[in-house]
Amino acid sequence: MSNYKENSVQTFFPSEDGNQKERQQFMQLIEQLITGVDNLKNPNGVNLSGEKERSKSFYTDLIRNSAIPTDSTDQKEVNEHLLKLLHNHPYHSKYFLTNILPMASTPGILGMITAFLVNGNNLWDVYGPAGAEAEVRVISMMSKLVGYDPQLSGGYTTWGGQGAIFTGLRLAIAKVAPDAPRKGVPRNLYAFCSESAHYSLFKSMEATGLGSDNLIKVRTHSDSSMDTEDLRQKMEKVIAEGGIPVYVVATTGTTDAMGIDNVQLVLQTAAEVAGKYGIQRPHIHADSALGGFFAFFREYDFLANPLGFTPQVLEALQKIQSRMQYMSLADTLCFDFQKLGQTPYSTSLFLVKNAADLQLVDLAEEETPYVGHRGYGDYHTGYTLECSRMASSISIYSALLAFGVTGYQRLLAQFVEVNLAFRETLRREVPEAVIVNDENPAIMTLFRIYPDRRNDFQAELSGQCSLARIEETNRLNEQLFEVLGQKREIMFFGDTKKHLVVPTSDGSQTSLSAAKLFVISPYTEVAHVPEIVDYLKQNIDTVFHSYADTLQPIGG
Ligand SMILES: *Cc1c(COP(=O)(O)O)cnc(C)c1O
């Protein structure tokens, strides 16, 4: 007999003894949620069905109407409220083409549930032994995948690619200024990343107290990769003015265009400049949050092609892999499993080539009084910025086991294949939409339209367009963003206002706006591409027409 009590506070919790009755009740509640979501699904649109009036007063109404109920609410009824939250929610159908916002895979979700069932704290292996074990395992797995020595490497799961960039910076500072964790950060330390890098480093500079003025942006080539000659010159300039370069972030897979910095050249450049001026080589972080997952092709036999990819897909994958091959030269890396790893938020893995580096930012024993040091091993994370940590490693572990190397290879290859088909069809059917990241094989395409359907892209790259002209083109593209955005429940596209920084003919510089298609849903297939392109064509025509109307002379 179970000791189940109808009116006990214990009914808010899973059973203590594993009895069948409470398990069934728990399962029914979970089934209610899953059935509820399934009933909302609509594969011919982007959003789940259901009503959601998002009037101007939506949030103020919520504030007015929300209060904690005095009495307890039956969970079945709570579930109905939870399901209402999901009404009209974007869902990863085949028309979900917006950004690196993946669907959580079944293995990823089950890994999370596993972690929640024991709710360990990954702060310390005595409190969270399952999470610690999974974390050590996935760090070893990913180290071997990228070519780090798993005996020397280390890392931990953290809050995003941004968290990885931030701790990379903490390590970079501590390497050059070992006193900094106690005495504060010297003012003359500088960090470098390309103009196409993620803004995470900008924020990290603010948060460490260095200030974002000490972040130097390095020019990119037209393929969005870092111009390492410009890196050299900017590092030398900083040194000449009394600064010390401590951190270089090489982006291996930019979020918009899939530009891939050459980590070998970045490392070599940083080492040469450091050697010349007798300073320590800056810490190199490869921001592989998004693109790092292409390491799954590091050992793919491109000749034998065991998974039978088409020649075009094979060529694209090989090109990406060849640009990624130097990732393991970086001191630290990141894998955002919530991106191409197919696990729920937040499941980022920060990888450190030399685990010993983490001691630079660790706490002394006496500073962590209530965390014992009597773990099974010595697994105690005083170097993380988080104190308590979720065991997101369990979700990562689940996904790595379930997908396996070939599962990830097939998924990524599918994304690449659909994107290749999109580019080809777009070029054929809508030639006025110029693909502006065409040099980069990828899972996303950036495309830009020009007034009068001309193609100014090469002129823009080489600085032959005036600022006014580029701004006019940007406005035209932003009209397209608007038109597509208003109907995003039909197809959900992305866009960016920051593609490349180009010089203008009048001596200034600016960025290009471009619409974006991101292949991220496993349900988007090559067969859907013609329909997607057709839809774009109609909308692009609409924008051109309304643009032409604005040019009609009044009364003319
Ligand atoms: C997404 C992304 C980040 C930020 O990662 P979060 O997980 O959102 O914190 C940083 N760098 C790159 C290249 C990214 O794609």
Side-chain angles (χ1 to χ4, degrees):
M1 260 318 280
S2 83
N3 60 354
Y4 178 76
K5 299 184 203 72
E6 279 302 328
N7 290 315
S8 162
V9 289
Q10 292 168 358
T11 60
F12 291 114
F13 298 87
S15 76
E16 183 186 28
D17 61 0
N19 72 75
Q20 192 184 11
K21 183 173 175 202
E22 283 174 86
R23 177 167 64 253
Q24 279 169 349
Q25 285 169 336
F26 192 24
M27 293 293 282
Q28 278 164 11
L29 291 169
I30 290 177
E31 187 171 8
Q32 184 191 354
L33 287 179
I34 296 176
T35 308
V37 175
D38 278 348
N39 289 338
L40 296 173
K41 286 180 183 173
N42 164 26
N44 295 318
V46 176
N47 291 357
L48 295 177
S49 56
E51 285 302 312
K52 191 69 63 169
E53 271 304 322
R54 294 205 181 262
S55 65
K56 277 215 158 50
S57 61
F58 181 68
Y59 289 112
T60 46
D61 292 346
L62 294 184
I63 292 166
R64 206 177 33 246
N65 301 334
S66 299
I68 303 166
T70 308
D71 294 322
S72 304
T73 310
D74 183 73
Q75 187 63 42
K76 287 199 199 74
E77 195 185 326
V78 174
N79 277 359
E80 293 304 328
H81 288 288
L82 298 183
L83 285 167
K84 266 191 217 140
L85 285 179
L86 310 189
H87 281 203
N88 214 24
H89 200 285
Y91 192 73
H92 308 77
S93 73
K94 53 182 161 296
Y95 303 128
F96 189 94
L97 303 162
T98 179
N99 250 320
I100 186 81
L101 301 166
M103 185 174 228
S105 65
T106 307
I109 294 172
L110 291 174
M112 279 291 176
I113 293 175
T114 308
F116 297 155
L117 289 176
V118 290
N119 204 31
N121 187 338
N122 235 28
L123 164 71
W124 182 32
D125 61 358
V126 173
Y127 295 158
E133 179 180 338
E135 193 166 57
V136 171
R137 282 182 184 275
V138 299
I139 288 165
S140 167
M141 289 170 168
M142 294 308 288
S143 292
K144 289 169 187 162
L145 185 79
V146 297
Y148 273 1
D149 178 348
Q151 299 298 335
L152 295 178
S153 69
Y156 56 89
T157 55
T158 189
W159 42 277
Q162 186 156 293
I165 286 182
F166 188 54
T167 292
L169 177 58
R170 290 168 66 215
L171 293 176
I173 293 169
K175 279 182 174 180
V176 168
D179 275 352
R182 284 170 303 280
K183 300 206 181 300
V185 182
R187 292 287 311 138
N188 64 335
L189 309 185
Y190 287 77
F192 300 75
C193 68
S194 86
E195 285 163 345
S196 295
H198 194 270
Y199 58 79
S200 298
L201 181 55
F202 188 87
K203 272 203 206 170
S204 303
M205 295 298 283
E206 177 245 309
T208 51
L210 276 176
S212 52
D213 283 354
N214 283 25
L215 170 60
I216 309 295
K217 291 285 186 94
V218 180
R219 278 208 306 265
T220 63
H221 300 295
S222 58
D223 66 359
S224 302
S225 71
M226 186 189 286
D227 175 346
T228 49
E229 268 321 298
D230 192 49
L231 172 66
R232 181 191 307 278
Q233 285 171 22
K234 286 181 170 152
M235 283 179 67
E236 293 194 338
K237 182 159 183 283
V238 159
I239 295 169
E241 290 167 3
I244 307 175
V246 295
Y247 192 40
V248 183
V249 171
T251 310
T252 47
T254 63
T255 321
D256 276 336
M258 191 68 181
I260 300 172
D261 292 352
N262 182 325
V263 180
Q264 187 184 44
L265 270 182
V266 169
L267 174 72
Q268 200 180 317
T269 306
E272 279 170 17
V273 175
K276 182 169 164 190
Y277 293 93
I279 60 170
Q280 201 169 319
R281 171 178 69 72
H283 181 100
I284 311 287
H285 177 72
D287 182 6
S288 50
L290 188 158
F293 289 90
F294 282 90
F296 277 108
F297 292 97
R298 199 168 72 97
E299 295 189 341
Y300 188 72
D301 185 343
F302 283 97
L303 274 180
N305 189 22
L307 295 179
F309 301 132
T310 67
Q312 295 90 325
V313 171
L314 211 55
E315 189 195 332
L317 291 172
Q318 207 161 9
K319 203 161 175 184
I320 296 173
Q321 167 51 28
S322 80
R323 293 178 185 180
M324 285 288 183
Q325 63 180 309
Y326 304 115
M327 237 167 64
S328 64
L329 296 175
D331 298 304
T332 46
L333 294 171
C334 171
F335 289 88
D336 258 0
F337 272 82
Q338 74 255 16
K339 289 182 178 166
L340 293 179
Q342 316 299 316
T343 50
Y345 294 101
S346 269
T347 42
S348 294
L349 186 67
F350 178 55
L351 266 194
V352 185
K353 188 179 200 161
N354 280 305
D357 282 354
L358 289 171
Q359 285 163 14
L360 293 166
V361 291
D362 206 352
L363 294 173
E365 274 186 40
E366 61 275 14
E367 285 164 322
T368 55
Y370 54 84
V371 182
H373 293 262
R374 312 169 303 283
Y376 305 112
D378 48 3
Y379 204 87
H380 155 241
T381 54
Y383 39 80
T384 59
L385 275 188
E386 305 98 315
C387 179
S388 296
R389 279 191 311 134
M390 72 185 292
S392 56
S393 51
I394 297 177
S395 178
I396 297 175
Y397 179 58
S398 176
L400 287 173
L401 291 183
F403 279 83
V405 172
T406 56
Y408 281 109
Q409 287 171 338
R410 286 187 290 122
L411 181 72
L412 295 176
Q414 177 175 315
F415 291 164
V416 167
E417 183 170 27
V418 173
N419 190 48
L420 278 170
F422 173 73
R423 288 186 185 182
E424 192 187 313
T425 313
L426 189 72
R427 259 192 296 267
R428 192 179 59 235
E429 302 295 328
V430 199
E432 58 269 47
V434 179
I435 299 173
V436 293
N437 69 333
D438 210 17
E439 291 177 66
N440 301 334
I443 59 176
M444 72 292 245
T445 298
L446 292 173
F447 53 95
R448 180 165 161 86
I449 53 175
Y450 293 87
D452 309 322
R453 302 183 190 245
R454 60 183 183 236
N455 180 347
D456 274 356
F457 184 47
Q458 290 308 323
E460 286 172 333
L461 285 180
S462 54
Q464 289 163 30
C465 289
S466 67
L467 181 62
R469 182 149 161 172
I470 295 176
E471 284 177 345
E472 183 193 359
T473 307
N474 282 348
R475 275 195 300 277
L476 179 72
N477 282 276
E478 284 152 28
Q479 279 176 26
L480 177 62
F481 302 174
E482 273 301 308
V483 168
L484 293 173
Q486 275 160 16
K487 296 186 288 183
R488 66 179 178 228
E489 76 284 355
I490 300 175
M491 285 191 201
F492 195 176
F493 293 91
D495 52 63
T496 179
K497 294 185 181 178
K498 284 207 165 310
H499 180 55
L500 297 173
V501 177
V502 297
T504 68
S505 60
D506 27 16
S508 63
Q509 55 176 41
T510 190
S511 293
L512 308 181
S513 295
K516 175 159 63 172
L517 172 131
F518 213 114
V519 186
I520 194 61
S521 167
Y523 294 107
T524 313
E525 297 173 9
V526 171
H528 304 126
V529 166
E531 180 194 354
I532 294 169
V533 171
D534 197 48
Y535 174 84
L536 275 178
K537 187 180 170 66
Q538 290 166 26
N539 285 285
I540 289 172
D541 283 343
T542 306
V543 170
F544 276 128
H545 285 140
S546 67
Y547 179 77
D549 289 346
T550 63
L551 296 184
Q552 297 282 319
I554 293 166

